[in-house]
Amino acid sequence: MKKIALQLYSLREFLTADPIGTLEKVHDMGYDGVEWPGVGEKAPEDLEKITSNAGLEFFSVHITADDILTCNLALLRQYAAAGCQFLPIGWLPEERRAGGSLFFQTCDAIQRYATAAKAEGLYVMYHNHEFDLEPIFQNGCRQLDLLYDLLPSSLLGAELDTCWLYTGGVDPAEYIRKYADRSPIVHLKDCVKEGGRAGFCPIGSGVLDFSGIWDACENARWLCVEQDEATPGLDAFQCAQASIQALKQLEAEKLNSINK
């Protein structure tokens, strides 16, 4: 059975006001773990403590371009000591993405940071948005493809986001299979037909084919739910609850089909 997590950016307003209560509610919904959108001014060990006290796994924290550039070795050791396993880069500014003036400099920085992280047992990843799917060459190679072509899977993983893949014009399941060897975490996010910028939805209430996506995530260790903005008429907790209910139902259907 796959582990299902929630990216806490989905509950950022509640998290700021009541982190402990928010984590307890996430656990009560049935999630196995949470991915933190960053540590802020907290130490990784402090976040791990309140996460584990709520009965959730502390396995992944998003990092920034500044984290990559500064390469704080002491902080990397703190992540490792706290039991964190994954450090996905949340996004890169335009000048640091493929085609930008600082792209190759950024690749060098990622390689240095990821090498240092790997020595501590941590795996650096990159979380895509729709702008990462823009073609960079006439042969159809996209910005994201070039990033993964230049950095080996042993150093840089792919935290693929289903909504942004769809919005960027590619088939999410197909793209997940393309990078299956470097995708231990997949972000599950649903949206309206016009794409994520037009509206986000709980899993199964938008247009994405999550049955096919589930099958494509065969090698993933974590399926991480995220909804950037709540659906009109619902709050973020209700959206998170609807998403895990849909995934649990889908999981049951997949198991039943196997056992028949």
Side-chain angles (χ1 to χ4, degrees):
M1 296 178 69
K2 299 183 187 299
K3 291 184 177 181
I4 301 175
L6 181 69
Q7 163 55 254
L8 289 174
Y9 181 76
S10 309
L11 300 175
R12 56 195 178 278
E13 295 178 2
F14 298 99
L15 188 68
T16 300
D18 181 14
I20 294 175
T22 297
L23 289 168
E24 289 173 347
K25 288 181 180 179
V26 172
H27 171 265
D28 292 344
M29 290 181 199
Y31 285 95
D32 301 301
V34 291
E35 181 178 66
W36 284 83
V39 293
E41 298 180 356
K42 300 283 188 181
E45 63 181 306
D46 294 330
L47 295 186
E48 189 282 329
K49 184 176 181 179
I50 63 171
T51 302
S52 61
N53 283 348
L56 297 163
E57 289 191 46
F58 175 78
F59 70 100
S60 181
V61 177
H62 269 202
I63 58 173
T64 67
D66 286 342
D67 290 319
I68 296 295
L69 296 172
T70 56
C71 195
N72 186 330
L73 297 180
L75 183 56
L76 284 174
R77 295 186 185 108
Q78 290 177 42
Y79 281 126
C84 184
Q85 297 172 286
F86 305 104
L87 297 175
I89 304 166
W91 68 288
L92 290 172
E94 185 175 3
E95 68 273 12
R96 294 194 176 278
R97 301 197 298 267
S101 59
L102 299 178
F103 174 63
F104 291 106
Q105 179 191 103
T106 303
C107 286
D108 289 342
I110 292 173
Q111 184 161 357
R112 287 192 297 271
Y113 184 89
T115 299
K118 184 177 181 180
E120 301 297 331
L122 299 160
Y123 190 40
V124 176
M125 307 174 71
Y126 182 71
H127 169 263
N128 70 278
H129 289 76
E130 86 281 21
F131 46 71
D132 294 297
L133 279 301
E134 294 179 6
I136 192 70
F137 297 124
Q138 290 184 348
N139 65 1
C141 178
R142 299 173 186 270
Q143 290 187 21
L144 193 61
D145 295 317
L146 184 58
L147 177 67
Y148 292 142
D149 284 346
L150 293 178
L151 292 165
S153 60
S154 60
L155 290 180
L156 184 66
E159 187 178 60
L160 298 173
D161 184 298
T162 57
C163 166
W164 295 131
L165 291 175
Y166 167 83
T167 306
V170 300
D171 180 88
E174 181 179 317
Y175 220 74
I176 290 167
R177 287 192 176 93
K178 180 177 182 179
Y179 291 111
D181 66 326
R182 64 200 301 165
S183 300
I185 308 172
V186 176
H187 265 211
L188 301 187
K189 185 187 301 178
D190 211 343
C191 64
V192 299
K193 182 179 180 180
E194 295 78 11
R197 300 293 174 187
F200 302 100
C201 310
I203 302 300
S205 61
V207 297
L208 273 66
D209 172 21
F210 279 97
S211 178
I213 289 170
W214 182 280
D215 294 340
C217 292
E218 182 179 2
N219 294 334
R221 293 163 58 182
W222 284 93
L223 301 181
C224 188
V225 171
E226 183 180 27
Q227 187 168 336
D228 298 38
E229 302 289 344
T231 304
L234 301 175
D235 68 24
F237 279 118
Q238 291 171 317
C239 292
Q241 180 73 68
S243 286
I244 192 163
Q245 286 177 343
L247 288 174
K248 292 292 187 180
Q249 180 178 345
L250 177 59
E251 182 179 48
E253 291 171 356
K254 294 291 183 180
L255 289 174
N256 286 337
S257 67
I258 292 172
N259 294 331
K260 284 183 178 179

